[in-house]
Amino acid sequence: MLPDGVTLHDGFLDAVAQIALVGALRTVAAVAPPRRMEAPNGRRMSVAMTSAGRVGWVTDRKGYRYEPRQMNGAPWPPIPAEALAIWRAVSGWDSDPDCLLLNHYAEGAKMGLHRDADEGEFAAPVVSVSLGDPARFRIGGLARRDSTKSFELRSGDVLVMGGASRLIWHGVDRIRYGVSPLLARGGRLNLTMRVVAG
DNA sequence: AAGTAGCT
DNA sequence: GGTA
């Protein structure tokens, strides 16, 4: 039983769709290379990130925020049509997302419990797509201290966090590296689409 | 004394 | 996934 507002579309993308999406994301990564950024506390994150869309999510010692340009001054690449199609199918939101955040989990990468709270529009859901190696996903409640539970997210799964769970705490405990044949170098790709409205 | 996209 |  998932919290109210969280929907898991198990196996939403078949193998063909997963391959097509990975191909489109390769183009994103070529224009805006994923990099391991610094959290405001100065620690380098294990997950490498980049973005597509009108704005991209960045972090450094100045804090978390959305920026209209990459560090090198170039705009972010457009959000691939394959990703927008998923958003339109599952988000229930009228407009398209402003940002696609692309996270690459190499072997050993993980992400601590956090909330997606840097957007200006919390009525719109966050749509998360998993590709490649499986991840042990942890989900809590609206308060940091709320109890958590975990389950596995597999390649092709689409998770929607919206409604009462839009600001829910969540994270990735670990990935099971080398399980999926989808990505040549292994690891996990996660993309999340957000309405930033700022 | 919170708050935590980090660390054990 | 709850502490320090």
Side-chain angles (χ1 to χ4, degrees):
Chain A
M1 188 67 181
L2 292 168
D4 187 44
V6 178
T7 309
L8 175 61
H9 299 271
D10 197 279
F12 185 84
L13 300 175
D14 64 21
V16 170
Q18 291 174 42
I19 290 165
L21 182 54
V22 169
L25 296 173
R26 259 199 283 271
T27 303
V28 169
V31 174
R35 49 191 192 85
R36 291 176 55 195
M37 297 188 271
E38 275 180 25
N41 64 11
R43 314 310 288 246
R44 200 153 156 254
M45 296 170 66
S46 61
V47 176
M49 306 173 143
T50 188
S51 293
R54 182 178 67 76
V55 289
W57 187 86
V58 299
T59 174
D60 55 26
R61 268 156 295 194
K62 290 186 298 205
Y64 311 131
R65 62 198 182 277
Y66 286 92
E67 290 282 0
R69 302 197 163 265
Q70 305 181 44
M71 217 169 45
N72 65 9
W76 303 97
I79 300 176
E82 293 86 345
L84 289 177
I86 299 169
W87 172 270
R88 290 167 185 164
V90 305
S91 71
W93 194 251
D94 280 343
S95 60
D96 282 339
D98 297 302
C99 174
L100 178 152
L101 178 59
L102 177 59
N103 294 162
H104 178 251
Y105 293 73
E107 185 170 17
K110 55 193 189 304
M111 188 174 294
L113 216 57
H114 70 281
R115 306 183 287 175
D116 296 352
D118 307 310
E119 301 75 29
E121 179 56 88
F122 296 134
V126 171
V127 172
S128 164
V129 183
S130 295
L131 294 166
D133 287 329
R136 174 58 47 175
F137 184 75
R138 185 163 295 278
I139 192 161
L142 292 176
R144 180 66 174 76
R145 59 186 175 147
D146 288 346
S147 66
T148 65
K149 61 183 170 182
S150 70
F151 56 92
E152 190 161 82
L153 249 22
R154 299 181 195 84
S155 196
D157 289 353
V158 174
L159 186 76
V160 181
M161 290 180 286
S165 291
R166 171 60 181 78
L167 289 167
I168 209 163
W169 288 85
H170 60 281
V172 172
D173 290 351
R174 60 188 171 81
I175 68 163
R176 290 201 288 128
Y177 183 80
V179 169
S180 166
L182 183 67
L183 305 174
R185 287 158 305 185
R188 172 177 188 250
L189 245 29
N190 173 72
L191 58 97
T192 50
M193 289 176 276
R194 302 103 183 273
V195 174
V196 177

